[in-house]
């Protein structure tokens, strides 16, 4: 490390030691991360050494063995499992102020309701005890504690813990933002979901789970409705003693920026777009060479997590995330859980059906899952078999739908249109939908500037451009 960087680190260490808002574990984790960043430990990939993983490393889902039919065997399998949902995100992109997991998805049920119902029905069916863990951030902790109380009567153990809270760094002098007089939450950030492993350990939850005989944790984003417990995957990992498994799925043109699995120096590794040299970015985005992408559904052995965290061996690639707070340029250093794959023994990917990746990141995704394209049973949101096209329709909504609160977004629909036979939809301008509207084929609805365009009840619009009432 250069002398100037060593001085920066020493100044930062002394400033951080005086911060009373965070624990000693958080302080040392943060300094460790900054030290790695300053020493220029960026992992550059030698493009010529990248190899396509074989079916042994990225296992096709349809080659997995059938699950034992014996209920007692299935119960003993499930009793090894813990489900952990990453619950640190706020619903800001969807006009919400609280945790994203409390947005209503279908039939008045939130993401969290659906997750709880799924695990309850699993526990009831097999007489097992699969607990649910929620990893919150300081942004979602208080709200989640209140929300979890409503499940106190349910037959499921719910545990919550917080991921680390790190100080935002002022870019100019590398000191904590909180030391510049910026108070409250703005001075801090949660350092990405790669922090799940040390946080699980530091919270004491890891030890408690191991003492209950738990062996595997299934980690997934709380907004991925496709991330449900899969017995075939769990059975495969237990039989083959895989310490880590990343679910990947075939890439479409909508997923070109997603990380992919490669073989590199004899190990399976996640390759993210940020690691790709500029001259190879188009190759990375193509769906010919890199055919799969990371769903962020991860299955990890708990004993292996303990071993690697204790040895401080999980040195995932650092993702620098520059921001601006109150006019001050700051830096957040983050890590991603998928990048940990290369540190675990006998790690694999499993190439799963697309149905296991159904994230709700924007209001257009919410429109899809609230429509007749999906049904919900026992907490599982399932694709309607009446849809013959395996791909979902592409939906583009204008700012009147995107840059508003969720309540204002939903007010524009008397009911969500039927889209089973829809290929693509583009909506722009001041558009309002009546009830029982049916959209088919390629539909463009663009209200003229200053006009309010109301789509009447029971309208059927097929392969049409609509600019005014006369076009319907």
């Amino acid at each position: 490390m250069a002398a100037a960087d060593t001085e920066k680190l020493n100044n930062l260490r002394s400033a951080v030691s005086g911060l009373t808002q965070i624990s000693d574990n958080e302080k040392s984790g943060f300094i460790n991360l900054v030290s790695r960043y300053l020493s220029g430990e960026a992992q550059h990939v030698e493009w010529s050494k990248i190899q396509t993983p074989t079916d042994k490393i990225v296992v096709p889902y349809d080659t997995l063995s059938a699950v034992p039919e014996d209920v007692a065997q299935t119960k003993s399998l499930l009793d090894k499992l813990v489900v952990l949902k990453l619950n640190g995100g706020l619903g800001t992109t969807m006009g919400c102020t609280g945790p994203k997991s409390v947005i209503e998805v279908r039939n008045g049920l939130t993401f969290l309701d659906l997750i709880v119902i799924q695990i309850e029905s699993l526990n009831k069916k097999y007489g097992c005890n699969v607990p649910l863990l929620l990893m919150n951030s300081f942004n979602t902790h208080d709200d989640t504690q209140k929300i979890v109380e409503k499940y106190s009567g349910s037959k499921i153990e719910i545990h919550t813990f917080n991921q680390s809270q790190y100080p935002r760094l002022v870019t100019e002098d590398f000191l904590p933002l909180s030391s510049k007089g910026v108070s409250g939450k703005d001075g801090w950030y949660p350092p990405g979901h790669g922090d799940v492993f040390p946080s699980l350990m530091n919270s004491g939850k890891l030890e408690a789970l191991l003492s209950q005989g738990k062996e595997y944790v299934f980690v997934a984003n709380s907004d991925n409705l496709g991330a449900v417990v899969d017995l075939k995957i769990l059975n495969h990992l237990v039989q083959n003693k895989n310490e880590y498994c990343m679910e990947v799925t075939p890439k479409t043109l909508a997923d070109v920026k997603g990380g992919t699995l490669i073989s590199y120096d004899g190990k399976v590794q996640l390759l993210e777009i940020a690691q790709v040299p500029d001259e190879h970015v188009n190759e990375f985005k193509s769906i010919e060479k890199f055919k799969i992408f990371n769903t962020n559904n991860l299955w990890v052995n708990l004993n292996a997590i303990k071993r690697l965290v204790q040895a401080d061996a999980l040195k995932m690639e650092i993702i620098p995330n520059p921001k601006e707070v109150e006019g001050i340029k700051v830096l957040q250093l983050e890590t991603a859980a998928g990048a940990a794959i290369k540190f675990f023994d006998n790690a694999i990917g499993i190439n799963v059906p697309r149905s296991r990746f159904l994230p709700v990141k924007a209001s257009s995704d919410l429109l899809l899952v609230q429509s007749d394209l999906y049904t919900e049973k026992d907490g599982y949101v399932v694709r309607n078999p009446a849809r013959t096209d395996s791909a979902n329709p592409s939906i583009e909504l204008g700012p009147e739908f995107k840059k508003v609160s969720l309540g204002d977004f939903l007010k524009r629909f008397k009911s969500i249109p039927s889209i089973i036979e829809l290929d693509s939809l583009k909506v722009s301008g001041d558009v309002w939908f009546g009830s029982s509207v049916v959209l088919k084929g390629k539909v463009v609805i663009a209200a003229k500037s200053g006009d309010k365009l109301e789509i009447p009840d029971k309208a059927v619009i097929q392969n049409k451009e609509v600019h005014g009432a006369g076009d319907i």
Side-chain angles (χ1 to χ4, degrees), residues 13 66 74 78 83 88 107 114 135 139 148 176 206 229 237 251 253 294 297 302 304 310 326 355 363 374 447-448:
R13 190 179 274 117
T74 305
L78 282 167
V83 173
N107 310 338
L114 293 169
M135 182 170 86
N139 288 316
V148 165
L206 183 62
V229 171
L237 304 182
K251 194 156 80 166
L253 292 172
N294 171 20
N297 298 349
L302 292 168
Q310 281 180 333
E326 295 182 19
S355 57
S363 43
Y374 288 91
K448 295 179 184 129

Side-chain angles (χ1 to χ4, degrees), residues 442-457:
K442 293 187 169 139
V443 177
V444 175
I445 302 173
K448 295 179 184 129
S449 181
D451 286 359
K452 179 179 182 180
L453 175 53
E454 296 190 37
I455 308 297
D457 297 350

Side-chain angles (χ1 to χ4, degrees), residues 79-81 208-215:
D79 278 334
K80 300 180 197 299
L81 182 68
L209 293 165
L210 287 169
S211 69
Q212 288 177 22
K214 302 298 178 189
E215 291 179 25

Side-chain angles (χ1 to χ4, degrees), residues 171-448:
T171 313
E172 190 181 31
D173 58 11
F174 248 63
L175 287 173
L177 181 60
S178 49
S179 66
K180 302 286 182 195
V182 173
S183 60
K185 290 182 175 178
D186 282 347
W188 308 87
Y189 75 99
H193 47 61
D195 184 54
V196 64
F197 305 117
S199 293
L200 200 52
M201 181 90 158
N202 295 339
S203 66
K205 297 293 178 193
L206 183 62
E207 210 50 67
L209 293 165
L210 287 169
S211 69
Q212 288 177 22
K214 302 298 178 189
E215 291 179 25
Y216 279 90
V217 59
F218 172 43
V219 181
N221 296 346
S222 61
D223 65 6
N224 179 6
L225 295 170
V228 300
V229 171
D230 187 297
L231 286 164
K232 280 173 84 165
I233 295 176
L234 178 60
N235 185 47
H236 184 87
L237 304 182
V238 170
Q239 297 301 324
N240 293 279
K241 299 186 168 51
N242 302 109
E243 286 190 349
Y244 187 111
C245 165
M246 174 188 289
E247 292 185 38
V248 292
T249 199
K251 194 156 80 166
T252 69
L253 292 172
D255 317 302
V256 292
K257 290 183 180 174
T260 191
L261 284 182
I262 56 170
S263 286
Y264 192 81
D265 286 342
K267 296 206 80 166
V268 62
Q269 187 169 319
L270 180 68
L271 176 67
E272 297 274 18
I273 195 164
Q275 297 163 273
V276 177
D278 290 346
E279 64 272 23
H280 293 291
V281 165
N282 285 339
E283 197 182 340
F284 175 82
K285 286 181 172 181
S286 85
I287 55 180
E288 275 73 55
K289 179 167 181 177
F290 299 102
K291 295 183 164 68
I292 52 173
F293 76 99
N294 171 20
T295 64
N296 218 36
N297 298 349
L298 311 170
W299 302 72
V300 195
N301 181 281
L302 292 168
N303 277 303
I305 294 173
K306 181 179 177 178
R307 179 187 81 236
L308 292 166
V309 172
Q310 281 180 333
D312 191 25
L314 293 174
K315 298 194 184 302
M316 284 93 89
E317 285 80 11
I318 296 167
I319 306 159
N321 188 357
K323 301 248 178 189
E324 200 168 296
V325 180
E326 295 182 19
I328 303 169
K329 286 189 164 52
V330 297
L331 185 64
Q332 299 180 180
L333 301 178
E334 302 171 9
T335 60
I341 190 168
K342 63 182 174 188
F343 301 106
F344 287 84
D345 294 339
N346 203 8
I348 59 166
I350 292 181
N351 194 351
V352 298
R354 183 75 185 202
S355 57
R356 292 191 57 74
F357 183 66
L358 183 58
V360 181
K361 300 288 180 198
S363 43
S364 52
D365 299 326
L366 193 61
L367 188 62
L368 280 176
V369 298
Q370 290 194 341
S371 74
D372 57 353
L373 200 57
Y374 288 91
T375 57
E376 179 269 320
K377 187 169 187 257
D378 294 338
Y380 297 90
V381 175
V382 183
R383 193 96 178 298
N384 186 336
R387 168 87 174 174
T388 49
D389 187 343
S390 61
N392 275 348
S394 76
I395 295 181
E396 283 179 48
L397 301 173
E400 294 80 3
F401 288 80
K402 286 199 298 200
K403 297 189 169 155
V404 294
S405 74
L406 202 55
D408 287 341
F409 165 77
L410 292 169
K411 272 183 201 158
R412 289 186 172 267
F413 301 91
K414 273 199 205 167
S415 68
I416 302 294
S418 165
I419 58 172
I420 283 191
E421 295 179 55
L422 180 71
D423 297 325
S424 65
L425 172 67
K426 284 186 183 176
V427 183
S428 58
D430 189 12
V431 178
W432 298 76
F433 288 84
S435 63
S436 308
V437 172
V438 179
L439 304 174
K440 299 181 180 187
K442 293 187 169 139
V443 177
V444 175
I445 302 173
K448 295 179 184 129

Side-chain angles (χ1 to χ4, degrees), residues 129-141:
N129 174 28
V130 176
L132 170 64
L133 269 76
L134 299 172
M135 182 170 86
N136 299 318
S137 65
F138 60 87
N139 288 316
T140 60
H141 172 77

Side-chain angles (χ1 to χ4, degrees), residues 150-170:
K150 83 172 190 179
Y151 306 116
S152 57
S154 62
K155 294 183 172 54
I156 174 176
E157 257 182 61
I158 301 179
H159 304 267
T160 62
F161 67 100
N162 271 20
Q163 74 174 111
S164 305
Q165 175 174 332
Y166 285 176
R168 282 176 161 153
L169 279 171
V170 177

